[in-house]
Amino acid sequence: MVSLTSNSLASPGGLVILQSKLMRSVRRLKVTPSLPAGRMPKLGAADDLLPGAGGRDKSRGWAGFAVYRDAKGERSERRITCRKLSGYGTIELVHAFCHERQAYRSFRVDRFEELMDIATGELLDPLPHFEALRQQGALLMEDKALILVFMACCDGEYHPLEREAIEYCISRYMLRFGGEDQDIERLLVRCDSLAPDGLDFLNCLKALSNLKNGPHIARLVLEGTGSVIDADGYHHEAEIEWGLYVDEYLKRLAVRK
């Protein structure tokens, strides 16, 4: 566990120190999405997919179950979490983390035979779906909800009571900054389809420090993360580790002028 002592954070650059301390620990953490009902991964003997490209865009964190046929005609079924989309004029490649290979891979959009939303079981048309992700991003509430999803999933389980805690926090956010009931439900469904990794989590926390109303949002997210951690009545070691970091980081943001 990372040590967060008051002495090491006493300087004005305390937020930067926190970011540096957690970077080594958090960058390798991956949240594994659940499997759709009745579906199991199936990989071929070979994997001729291109290595995943570096960088991230607004599609990051969206997780799905894909049936893919490679250049040799070999069919595979796997869970993927988006990292970046690329192409000229239209999307050609999906750069994602493959949870079955435990590695980053690049997938050609025209070779997806099936794409499923893990949270809803909905079958998606790959190209329109990824185009929508490129334009709108994986979340409608920017990065705040992704922090909560990470805290709920970092122990390897997305408990229904943790989902209820996220819904309550989203409702409070909408009440404070504007939004309708249908926006809350839509965002909650989108949250169910996310599998943010450690760097997504860290980048979202850093993004809060650049917002004009960051202190107000930090207070809401701070309360939300505490509710998520406590929701299922069990404190996993991962939740304690990241919870300490979030608590220290958001408290510093909340008192900023």
Side-chain angles (χ1 to χ4, degrees):
M1 183 175 296
V2 177
S3 175
L4 303 178
T5 63
S6 57
N7 289 338
S8 66
L9 302 175
S11 66
L15 290 176
V16 177
I17 294 173
L18 274 171
Q19 292 166 11
S20 299
K21 280 181 173 291
L22 264 291
M23 179 62 75
R24 289 189 298 275
S25 298
V26 80
R27 71 162 56 250
R28 294 183 178 85
L29 186 60
K30 304 287 188 300
V31 171
T32 303
S34 59
L35 285 166
R39 304 301 293 266
M40 289 295 293
K42 180 182 178 183
L43 297 178
D47 190 348
D48 69 344
L49 303 178
L50 299 171
R56 296 162 189 254
D57 61 19
K58 292 194 297 184
S59 69
R60 73 188 190 281
W62 182 85
F65 186 81
V67 178
Y68 188 81
R69 192 173 296 276
D70 65 20
K72 297 179 181 178
E74 192 165 5
R75 195 169 182 264
S76 63
E77 301 182 10
R78 62 184 82 202
R79 288 166 292 180
I80 61 172
T81 299
C82 279
R83 188 175 182 184
K84 182 181 178 181
L85 307 171
S86 65
Y88 296 96
T90 187
I91 294 173
E92 298 171 343
L93 293 175
V94 176
H95 310 285
F97 183 79
C98 173
H99 293 275
E100 273 53 66
R101 290 294 187 195
Q102 286 294 297
Y104 289 100
R105 293 288 186 264
S106 294
F107 302 84
R108 275 182 49 169
V109 173
D110 59 353
R111 289 184 179 158
F112 282 106
E113 291 193 345
E114 186 178 314
L115 186 67
M116 179 185 292
D117 188 307
I118 290 176
T120 65
E122 178 187 4
L123 291 177
L124 307 168
D125 192 344
L127 184 56
H129 174 70
F130 289 121
E131 285 286 2
L133 278 181
R134 177 160 69 176
Q135 295 176 23
Q136 302 172 13
L139 280 176
L140 301 178
M141 201 179 79
E142 299 174 18
D143 296 326
K144 296 82 178 178
L146 193 145
I147 296 171
L148 302 179
V149 173
F150 178 89
M151 292 305 304
C153 297
C154 67
D155 61 352
E157 180 185 10
Y158 188 25
H159 195 280
L161 291 176
E162 293 173 326
R163 188 181 190 272
E164 288 184 11
I166 292 175
E167 181 177 9
Y168 176 72
C169 186
I170 290 173
S171 300
R172 290 201 62 203
Y173 179 92
M174 293 294 188
L175 183 64
R176 174 67 176 80
F177 297 101
E180 305 295 334
D181 289 345
Q182 58 266 30
D183 296 326
I184 297 173
E185 184 57 35
R186 189 183 305 117
L187 178 57
L188 193 61
V189 171
R190 299 285 287 276
C191 286
D192 294 340
S193 300
L194 292 175
D197 63 18
L199 281 178
D200 292 331
F201 167 70
L202 186 61
N203 288 337
C204 290
L205 284 176
K206 289 165 64 176
L208 291 183
S209 64
N210 298 321
L211 297 177
K212 183 178 179 181
N213 56 356
H216 299 291
I217 296 176
R219 295 186 189 103
L220 282 177
V221 177
L222 179 62
E223 180 180 333
T225 54
S227 298
V228 167
I229 292 172
D230 293 336
D232 61 359
Y234 172 69
H235 290 175
H236 189 275
E237 181 180 354
E239 292 178 320
I240 295 173
E241 180 170 359
W242 312 126
L244 285 173
Y245 176 49
V246 171
D247 183 76
E248 185 71 33
Y249 194 95
L250 293 178
K251 280 180 178 177
R252 285 180 169 273
L253 282 183
V255 299
R256 274 188 167 184
K257 301 299 183 181

PDB file of all heavy atoms in Angstrom, residues 43-71:
ATOM      1  N   LEU A  43     -10.533 -18.179 -27.878  1.00  0.00           N
ATOM      2  CA  LEU A  43      -9.428 -17.665 -28.669  1.00  0.00           C
ATOM      3  C   LEU A  43      -8.843 -18.773 -29.530  1.00  0.00           C
ATOM      4  O   LEU A  43      -8.792 -19.926 -29.119  1.00  0.00           O
ATOM      5  CB  LEU A  43      -8.337 -17.084 -27.775  1.00  0.00           C
ATOM      6  CG  LEU A  43      -8.727 -15.868 -26.927  1.00  0.00           C
ATOM      7  CD1 LEU A  43      -7.567 -15.444 -26.057  1.00  0.00           C
ATOM      8  CD2 LEU A  43      -9.194 -14.721 -27.801  1.00  0.00           C
ATOM      9  N   GLY A  44      -8.390 -18.401 -30.728  1.00  0.00           N
ATOM     10  CA  GLY A  44      -7.734 -19.351 -31.603  1.00  0.00           C
ATOM     11  C   GLY A  44      -6.294 -19.578 -31.179  1.00  0.00           C
ATOM     12  O   GLY A  44      -5.779 -18.941 -30.249  1.00  0.00           O
ATOM     13  N   ALA A  45      -5.623 -20.484 -31.879  1.00  0.00           N
ATOM     14  CA  ALA A  45      -4.230 -20.788 -31.555  1.00  0.00           C
ATOM     15  C   ALA A  45      -3.321 -19.605 -31.858  1.00  0.00           C
ATOM     16  O   ALA A  45      -2.310 -19.396 -31.211  1.00  0.00           O
ATOM     17  CB  ALA A  45      -3.769 -22.022 -32.324  1.00  0.00           C
ATOM     18  N   ALA A  46      -3.688 -18.837 -32.875  1.00  0.00           N
ATOM     19  CA  ALA A  46      -2.863 -17.693 -33.285  1.00  0.00           C
ATOM     20  C   ALA A  46      -3.598 -16.396 -32.971  1.00  0.00           C
ATOM     21  O   ALA A  46      -4.801 -16.370 -32.772  1.00  0.00           O
ATOM     22  CB  ALA A  46      -2.544 -17.774 -34.770  1.00  0.00           C
ATOM     23  N   ASP A  47      -2.849 -15.352 -32.937  1.00  0.00           N
ATOM     24  CA  ASP A  47      -3.429 -14.022 -32.729  1.00  0.00           C
ATOM     25  C   ASP A  47      -2.617 -13.056 -33.574  1.00  0.00           C
ATOM     26  O   ASP A  47      -1.583 -12.558 -33.149  1.00  0.00           O
ATOM     27  CB  ASP A  47      -3.364 -13.644 -31.248  1.00  0.00           C
ATOM     28  CG  ASP A  47      -4.177 -12.383 -30.948  1.00  0.00           C
ATOM     29  OD1 ASP A  47      -4.584 -11.712 -31.910  1.00  0.00           O
ATOM     30  OD2 ASP A  47      -4.389 -12.082 -29.769  1.00  0.00           O
ATOM     31  N   ASP A  48      -3.095 -12.802 -34.784  1.00  0.00           N
ATOM     32  CA  ASP A  48      -2.304 -11.983 -35.707  1.00  0.00           C
ATOM     33  C   ASP A  48      -2.700 -10.512 -35.664  1.00  0.00           C
ATOM     34  O   ASP A  48      -2.367  -9.746 -36.553  1.00  0.00           O
ATOM     35  CB  ASP A  48      -2.450 -12.516 -37.142  1.00  0.00           C
ATOM     36  CG  ASP A  48      -3.856 -12.299 -37.709  1.00  0.00           C
ATOM     37  OD1 ASP A  48      -4.778 -12.034 -36.910  1.00  0.00           O
ATOM     38  OD2 ASP A  48      -4.012 -12.383 -38.937  1.00  0.00           O
ATOM     39  N   LEU A  49      -3.427 -10.120 -34.608  1.00  0.00           N
ATOM     40  CA  LEU A  49      -3.851  -8.735 -34.511  1.00  0.00           C
ATOM     41  C   LEU A  49      -2.654  -7.827 -34.280  1.00  0.00           C
ATOM     42  O   LEU A  49      -1.658  -8.205 -33.690  1.00  0.00           O
ATOM     43  CB  LEU A  49      -4.841  -8.575 -33.356  1.00  0.00           C
ATOM     44  CG  LEU A  49      -6.091  -9.456 -33.423  1.00  0.00           C
ATOM     45  CD1 LEU A  49      -6.953  -9.227 -32.206  1.00  0.00           C
ATOM     46  CD2 LEU A  49      -6.867  -9.173 -34.687  1.00  0.00           C
ATOM     47  N   LEU A  50      -2.792  -6.604 -34.755  1.00  0.00           N
ATOM     48  CA  LEU A  50      -1.732  -5.620 -34.580  1.00  0.00           C
ATOM     49  C   LEU A  50      -1.599  -5.248 -33.110  1.00  0.00           C
ATOM     50  O   LEU A  50      -2.592  -5.267 -32.370  1.00  0.00           O
ATOM     51  CB  LEU A  50      -2.040  -4.368 -35.399  1.00  0.00           C
ATOM     52  CG  LEU A  50      -2.155  -4.542 -36.906  1.00  0.00           C
ATOM     53  CD1 LEU A  50      -2.671  -3.251 -37.525  1.00  0.00           C
ATOM     54  CD2 LEU A  50      -0.807  -4.901 -37.497  1.00  0.00           C
ATOM     55  N   PRO A  51      -0.394  -4.880 -32.658  1.00  0.00           N
ATOM     56  CA  PRO A  51      -0.247  -4.358 -31.302  1.00  0.00           C
ATOM     57  C   PRO A  51      -1.098  -3.104 -31.123  1.00  0.00           C
ATOM     58  O   PRO A  51      -1.327  -2.361 -32.075  1.00  0.00           O
ATOM     59  CB  PRO A  51       1.252  -4.031 -31.209  1.00  0.00           C
ATOM     60  CG  PRO A  51       1.889  -4.859 -32.274  1.00  0.00           C
ATOM     61  CD  PRO A  51       0.891  -4.962 -33.383  1.00  0.00           C
ATOM     62  N   GLY A  52      -1.570  -2.886 -29.925  1.00  0.00           N
ATOM     63  CA  GLY A  52      -2.385  -1.708 -29.663  1.00  0.00           C
ATOM     64  C   GLY A  52      -1.590  -0.425 -29.775  1.00  0.00           C
ATOM     65  O   GLY A  52      -0.423  -0.351 -29.402  1.00  0.00           O
ATOM     66  N   ALA A  53      -2.221   0.605 -30.320  1.00  0.00           N
ATOM     67  CA  ALA A  53      -1.562   1.907 -30.464  1.00  0.00           C
ATOM     68  C   ALA A  53      -1.554   2.635 -29.129  1.00  0.00           C
ATOM     69  O   ALA A  53      -2.398   2.413 -28.266  1.00  0.00           O
ATOM     70  CB  ALA A  53      -2.287   2.752 -31.508  1.00  0.00           C
ATOM     71  N   GLY A  54      -0.595   3.519 -28.942  1.00  0.00           N
ATOM     72  CA  GLY A  54      -0.509   4.290 -27.710  1.00  0.00           C
ATOM     73  C   GLY A  54      -1.540   5.396 -27.667  1.00  0.00           C
ATOM     74  O   GLY A  54      -2.193   5.711 -28.660  1.00  0.00           O
ATOM     75  N   GLY A  55      -1.689   6.014 -26.509  1.00  0.00           N
ATOM     76  CA  GLY A  55      -2.602   7.138 -26.357  1.00  0.00           C
ATOM     77  C   GLY A  55      -4.019   6.705 -26.023  1.00  0.00           C
ATOM     78  O   GLY A  55      -4.371   5.529 -26.092  1.00  0.00           O
ATOM     79  N   ARG A  56      -4.836   7.692 -25.656  1.00  0.00           N
ATOM     80  CA  ARG A  56      -6.228   7.464 -25.286  1.00  0.00           C
ATOM     81  C   ARG A  56      -7.078   8.595 -25.824  1.00  0.00           C
ATOM     82  O   ARG A  56      -6.603   9.720 -25.983  1.00  0.00           O
ATOM     83  CB  ARG A  56      -6.368   7.404 -23.752  1.00  0.00           C
ATOM     84  CG  ARG A  56      -5.637   6.236 -23.123  1.00  0.00           C
ATOM     85  CD  ARG A  56      -5.429   6.447 -21.632  1.00  0.00           C
ATOM     86  NE  ARG A  56      -4.551   5.400 -21.134  1.00  0.00           N
ATOM     87  CZ  ARG A  56      -4.975   4.377 -20.405  1.00  0.00           C
ATOM     88  NH1 ARG A  56      -6.228   4.284 -20.051  1.00  0.00           N
ATOM     89  NH2 ARG A  56      -4.137   3.438 -20.018  1.00  0.00           N
ATOM     90  N   ASP A  57      -8.338   8.282 -26.095  1.00  0.00           N
ATOM     91  CA  ASP A  57      -9.259   9.338 -26.502  1.00  0.00           C
ATOM     92  C   ASP A  57     -10.554   9.192 -25.702  1.00  0.00           C
ATOM     93  O   ASP A  57     -10.608   8.472 -24.703  1.00  0.00           O
ATOM     94  CB  ASP A  57      -9.499   9.323 -28.019  1.00  0.00           C
ATOM     95  CG  ASP A  57     -10.114   8.020 -28.516  1.00  0.00           C
ATOM     96  OD1 ASP A  57     -10.684   7.264 -27.684  1.00  0.00           O
ATOM     97  OD2 ASP A  57     -10.024   7.740 -29.718  1.00  0.00           O
ATOM     98  N   LYS A  58     -11.622   9.843 -26.136  1.00  0.00           N
ATOM     99  CA  LYS A  58     -12.855   9.874 -25.352  1.00  0.00           C
ATOM    100  C   LYS A  58     -13.556   8.521 -25.262  1.00  0.00           C
ATOM    101  O   LYS A  58     -14.457   8.336 -24.449  1.00  0.00           O
ATOM    102  CB  LYS A  58     -13.823  10.903 -25.937  1.00  0.00           C
ATOM    103  CG  LYS A  58     -13.358  12.343 -25.793  1.00  0.00           C
ATOM    104  CD  LYS A  58     -14.475  13.326 -26.064  1.00  0.00           C
ATOM    105  CE  LYS A  58     -14.976  13.232 -27.489  1.00  0.00           C
ATOM    106  NZ  LYS A  58     -16.012  14.250 -27.787  1.00  0.00           N
ATOM    107  N   SER A  59     -13.165   7.570 -26.119  1.00  0.00           N
ATOM    108  CA  SER A  59     -13.792   6.244 -26.077  1.00  0.00           C
ATOM    109  C   SER A  59     -13.237   5.386 -24.954  1.00  0.00           C
ATOM    110  O   SER A  59     -13.752   4.293 -24.703  1.00  0.00           O
ATOM    111  CB  SER A  59     -13.584   5.521 -27.415  1.00  0.00           C
ATOM    112  OG  SER A  59     -12.217   5.174 -27.598  1.00  0.00           O
ATOM    113  N   ARG A  60     -12.192   5.844 -24.292  1.00  0.00           N
ATOM    114  CA  ARG A  60     -11.497   5.025 -23.302  1.00  0.00           C
ATOM    115  C   ARG A  60     -12.462   4.534 -22.221  1.00  0.00           C
ATOM    116  O   ARG A  60     -13.365   5.262 -21.788  1.00  0.00           O
ATOM    117  CB  ARG A  60     -10.372   5.814 -22.646  1.00  0.00           C
ATOM    118  CG  ARG A  60     -10.824   6.880 -21.677  1.00  0.00           C
ATOM    119  CD  ARG A  60      -9.671   7.753 -21.197  1.00  0.00           C
ATOM    120  NE  ARG A  60     -10.083   8.614 -20.103  1.00  0.00           N
ATOM    121  CZ  ARG A  60     -10.767   9.741 -20.243  1.00  0.00           C
ATOM    122  NH1 ARG A  60     -11.130  10.117 -21.451  1.00  0.00           N
ATOM    123  NH2 ARG A  60     -11.101  10.465 -19.196  1.00  0.00           N
ATOM    124  N   GLY A  61     -12.260   3.303 -21.818  1.00  0.00           N
ATOM    125  CA  GLY A  61     -13.036   2.755 -20.716  1.00  0.00           C
ATOM    126  C   GLY A  61     -14.276   1.985 -21.121  1.00  0.00           C
ATOM    127  O   GLY A  61     -14.798   1.218 -20.318  1.00  0.00           O
ATOM    128  N   TRP A  62     -14.760   2.158 -22.382  1.00  0.00           N
ATOM    129  CA  TRP A  62     -15.953   1.398 -22.771  1.00  0.00           C
ATOM    130  C   TRP A  62     -15.578  -0.061 -22.979  1.00  0.00           C
ATOM    131  O   TRP A  62     -14.605  -0.374 -23.664  1.00  0.00           O
ATOM    132  CB  TRP A  62     -16.571   1.951 -24.061  1.00  0.00           C
ATOM    133  CG  TRP A  62     -17.828   1.196 -24.424  1.00  0.00           C
ATOM    134  CD1 TRP A  62     -19.077   1.433 -23.959  1.00  0.00           C
ATOM    135  CD2 TRP A  62     -17.935   0.043 -25.280  1.00  0.00           C
ATOM    136  NE1 TRP A  62     -19.959   0.509 -24.468  1.00  0.00           N
ATOM    137  CE2 TRP A  62     -19.277  -0.352 -25.291  1.00  0.00           C
ATOM    138  CE3 TRP A  62     -17.006  -0.679 -26.035  1.00  0.00           C
ATOM    139  CZ2 TRP A  62     -19.732  -1.448 -26.028  1.00  0.00           C
ATOM    140  CZ3 TRP A  62     -17.449  -1.767 -26.772  1.00  0.00           C
ATOM    141  CH2 TRP A  62     -18.799  -2.144 -26.763  1.00  0.00           C
ATOM    142  N   ALA A  63     -16.359  -0.970 -22.384  1.00  0.00           N
ATOM    143  CA  ALA A  63     -16.052  -2.395 -22.469  1.00  0.00           C
ATOM    144  C   ALA A  63     -17.163  -3.134 -23.196  1.00  0.00           C
ATOM    145  O   ALA A  63     -18.353  -2.838 -23.009  1.00  0.00           O
ATOM    146  CB  ALA A  63     -15.861  -2.981 -21.073  1.00  0.00           C
ATOM    147  N   GLY A  64     -16.785  -4.097 -24.025  1.00  0.00           N
ATOM    148  CA  GLY A  64     -17.759  -4.883 -24.753  1.00  0.00           C
ATOM    149  C   GLY A  64     -17.276  -6.302 -24.981  1.00  0.00           C
ATOM    150  O   GLY A  64     -16.112  -6.640 -24.732  1.00  0.00           O
ATOM    151  N   PHE A  65     -18.187  -7.151 -25.449  1.00  0.00           N
ATOM    152  CA  PHE A  65     -17.864  -8.533 -25.810  1.00  0.00           C
ATOM    153  C   PHE A  65     -17.897  -8.620 -27.325  1.00  0.00           C
ATOM    154  O   PHE A  65     -18.903  -8.286 -27.958  1.00  0.00           O
ATOM    155  CB  PHE A  65     -18.880  -9.489 -25.194  1.00  0.00           C
ATOM    156  CG  PHE A  65     -18.535 -10.948 -25.387  1.00  0.00           C
ATOM    157  CD1 PHE A  65     -17.614 -11.566 -24.556  1.00  0.00           C
ATOM    158  CD2 PHE A  65     -19.126 -11.689 -26.395  1.00  0.00           C
ATOM    159  CE1 PHE A  65     -17.302 -12.910 -24.716  1.00  0.00           C
ATOM    160  CE2 PHE A  65     -18.819 -13.031 -26.562  1.00  0.00           C
ATOM    161  CZ  PHE A  65     -17.902 -13.643 -25.728  1.00  0.00           C
ATOM    162  N   ALA A  66     -16.778  -9.046 -27.925  1.00  0.00           N
ATOM    163  CA  ALA A  66     -16.641  -8.999 -29.377  1.00  0.00           C
ATOM    164  C   ALA A  66     -16.433 -10.385 -29.970  1.00  0.00           C
ATOM    165  O   ALA A  66     -15.705 -11.212 -29.410  1.00  0.00           O
ATOM    166  CB  ALA A  66     -15.470  -8.101 -29.768  1.00  0.00           C
ATOM    167  N   VAL A  67     -17.091 -10.611 -31.081  1.00  0.00           N
ATOM    168  CA  VAL A  67     -16.806 -11.776 -31.923  1.00  0.00           C
ATOM    169  C   VAL A  67     -16.079 -11.230 -33.146  1.00  0.00           C
ATOM    170  O   VAL A  67     -16.606 -10.391 -33.864  1.00  0.00           O
ATOM    171  CB  VAL A  67     -18.087 -12.507 -32.340  1.00  0.00           C
ATOM    172  CG1 VAL A  67     -17.756 -13.685 -33.253  1.00  0.00           C
ATOM    173  CG2 VAL A  67     -18.855 -12.985 -31.109  1.00  0.00           C
ATOM    174  N   TYR A  68     -14.853 -11.711 -33.349  1.00  0.00           N
ATOM    175  CA  TYR A  68     -13.960 -11.115 -34.343  1.00  0.00           C
ATOM    176  C   TYR A  68     -13.378 -12.205 -35.243  1.00  0.00           C
ATOM    177  O   TYR A  68     -13.060 -13.298 -34.774  1.00  0.00           O
ATOM    178  CB  TYR A  68     -12.825 -10.381 -33.615  1.00  0.00           C
ATOM    179  CG  TYR A  68     -11.926  -9.553 -34.498  1.00  0.00           C
ATOM    180  CD1 TYR A  68     -12.293  -8.281 -34.909  1.00  0.00           C
ATOM    181  CD2 TYR A  68     -10.686 -10.041 -34.904  1.00  0.00           C
ATOM    182  CE1 TYR A  68     -11.457  -7.515 -35.697  1.00  0.00           C
ATOM    183  CE2 TYR A  68      -9.842  -9.277 -35.694  1.00  0.00           C
ATOM    184  CZ  TYR A  68     -10.238  -8.014 -36.086  1.00  0.00           C
ATOM    185  OH  TYR A  68      -9.418  -7.254 -36.871  1.00  0.00           O
ATOM    186  N   ARG A  69     -13.260 -11.900 -36.546  1.00  0.00           N
ATOM    187  CA  ARG A  69     -12.639 -12.829 -37.485  1.00  0.00           C
ATOM    188  C   ARG A  69     -11.392 -12.163 -38.065  1.00  0.00           C
ATOM    189  O   ARG A  69     -11.479 -11.090 -38.667  1.00  0.00           O
ATOM    190  CB  ARG A  69     -13.612 -13.213 -38.599  1.00  0.00           C
ATOM    191  CG  ARG A  69     -13.122 -14.394 -39.436  1.00  0.00           C
ATOM    192  CD  ARG A  69     -14.169 -14.865 -40.427  1.00  0.00           C
ATOM    193  NE  ARG A  69     -15.364 -15.398 -39.795  1.00  0.00           N
ATOM    194  CZ  ARG A  69     -15.483 -16.648 -39.360  1.00  0.00           C
ATOM    195  NH1 ARG A  69     -14.467 -17.495 -39.476  1.00  0.00           N
ATOM    196  NH2 ARG A  69     -16.609 -17.065 -38.811  1.00  0.00           N
ATOM    197  N   ASP A  70     -10.245 -12.775 -37.877  1.00  0.00           N
ATOM    198  CA  ASP A  70      -8.992 -12.159 -38.302  1.00  0.00           C
ATOM    199  C   ASP A  70      -8.728 -12.380 -39.791  1.00  0.00           C
ATOM    200  O   ASP A  70      -9.546 -12.959 -40.518  1.00  0.00           O
ATOM    201  CB  ASP A  70      -7.824 -12.651 -37.445  1.00  0.00           C
ATOM    202  CG  ASP A  70      -7.540 -14.140 -37.611  1.00  0.00           C
ATOM    203  OD1 ASP A  70      -7.969 -14.729 -38.625  1.00  0.00           O
ATOM    204  OD2 ASP A  70      -6.884 -14.720 -36.723  1.00  0.00           O
ATOM    205  N   ALA A  71      -7.575 -11.918 -40.253  1.00  0.00           N
ATOM    206  CA  ALA A  71      -7.235 -11.977 -41.674  1.00  0.00           C
ATOM    207  C   ALA A  71      -7.147 -13.404 -42.191  1.00  0.00           C
ATOM    208  O   ALA A  71      -7.313 -13.663 -43.389  1.00  0.00           O
ATOM    209  CB  ALA A  71      -5.917 -11.250 -41.919  1.00  0.00           C
TER     210      ALA A  71
END
